[in-house]
Amino acid sequence: GDFSIPPDAKIITLTKNVRTMRAKAVFKVRPKSTIPEPSALALYPKDAIISPMTGTFEEQAAAFGAAGALFGLDLGEKTIGIAVCDPDRRVATPVQTIRRRKFTPDAEQLATLAGERNVVGLVFGLPLNMDGTEGPRAQSTRAFVRNLPRILPLPCAFWDERLSTAAMDRDLIALDTSRAKRAEKIDEMAATFILQGAIDRLRGIST
């Protein structure tokens, strides 16, 4: 006999099509994430990455792999100094100093900069007291790093930065940099000093 499609079947099909179209429309307008795709992480299972909360610098830095650009970060109360090294990890150079706002926008800005430079790992200066104990600034740095993976999931390591800022200040004074300009550059220069020390150490391990 004749085959007829029940009227309600057309309504169901139409509803499904409309829902599909809506889903596609939402997907197309979703803003592109600024968080980099950390290809380096694919090389290491999660349980192989030493938490930056534990272990030595060498153990933490093992997750960086043998090559790839790294960021050096000097985390201050009002600013974050940033430096980067070449993929062969021979020379650290200053990038910029960013003004701190709140954790999320600070982390998102770091994620954007890291993505632009194909960074595979982050070296944070750990501001220990001169006797080696940890004060409020060191604890604040650890808290920042502990929360960072939800926005920037790259391996992190801590480098003792106790003398970094003072050392950079002395170098800038030696270059006769004005006090005002020295204040603008000191954080990213400190980050450069931190990163150079870290990559020199890593190169010494590999040789």
Side-chain angles (χ1 to χ4, degrees):
D2 294 336
F3 177 77
S4 60
I5 300 174
D8 58 338
K10 293 181 181 179
I11 295 172
I12 293 170
T13 303
L14 178 60
T15 303
K16 286 186 177 180
N17 288 339
V18 169
R19 286 178 178 172
T20 303
M21 289 170 64
R22 284 178 180 169
K24 288 181 179 178
V26 171
F27 178 78
K28 287 180 180 178
V29 299
R30 179 182 294 176
K32 185 179 180 181
S33 174
T34 58
I35 299 173
E37 294 289 342
S39 57
L41 288 181
L43 301 176
Y44 310 99
K46 285 186 176 181
D47 56 1
I49 298 177
I50 302 295
S51 167
M53 301 300 117
T54 61
T56 64
F57 166 76
E58 291 80 5
E59 290 171 333
Q60 296 161 3
F64 293 161
L70 302 173
F71 262 177
L73 299 152
D74 182 57
L75 206 65
E77 293 181 3
K78 297 181 179 179
T79 59
I80 300 175
I82 306 171
V84 70
C85 68
D86 58 289
D88 291 332
R89 300 176 184 170
R90 296 186 177 278
V91 179
T93 55
V95 175
Q96 68 182 80
T97 298
I98 63 175
R99 284 278 166 192
R100 296 195 67 175
R101 293 169 288 172
K102 292 184 178 180
F103 171 78
T104 298
D106 291 347
E108 287 176 345
Q109 189 168 0
L110 287 179
T112 299
L113 293 170
E116 292 171 352
R117 291 166 175 77
N118 298 315
V119 167
V120 301
L122 310 172
V123 178
F124 283 84
L126 189 63
L128 300 173
N129 295 323
M130 293 307 293
D131 62 0
T133 60
E134 293 191 11
R137 281 196 62 214
Q139 293 169 7
S140 176
T141 299
R142 286 189 182 276
F144 186 94
V145 173
R146 187 163 50 244
N147 290 311
L148 192 59
R150 62 186 175 88
I151 294 177
L152 179 56
L154 289 178
C156 298
F158 288 119
W159 182 256
D160 185 349
E161 68 145 47
R162 278 177 284 182
L163 301 177
S164 62
T165 301
M168 282 298 98
D169 209 11
R170 287 195 295 271
D171 284 353
L172 289 169
I173 290 171
L175 292 172
D176 199 26
T177 305
S178 71
R179 184 173 297 276
K181 190 163 289 285
R182 188 163 71 245
E184 293 176 3
K185 296 292 184 181
I186 191 67
D187 292 324
E188 61 198 68
M189 292 299 290
T192 305
F193 190 83
I194 289 164
L195 184 56
Q196 190 65 55
I199 60 179
D200 286 348
R201 175 61 180 155
L202 291 175
R203 200 161 54 249
I205 295 172
S206 62
T207 56

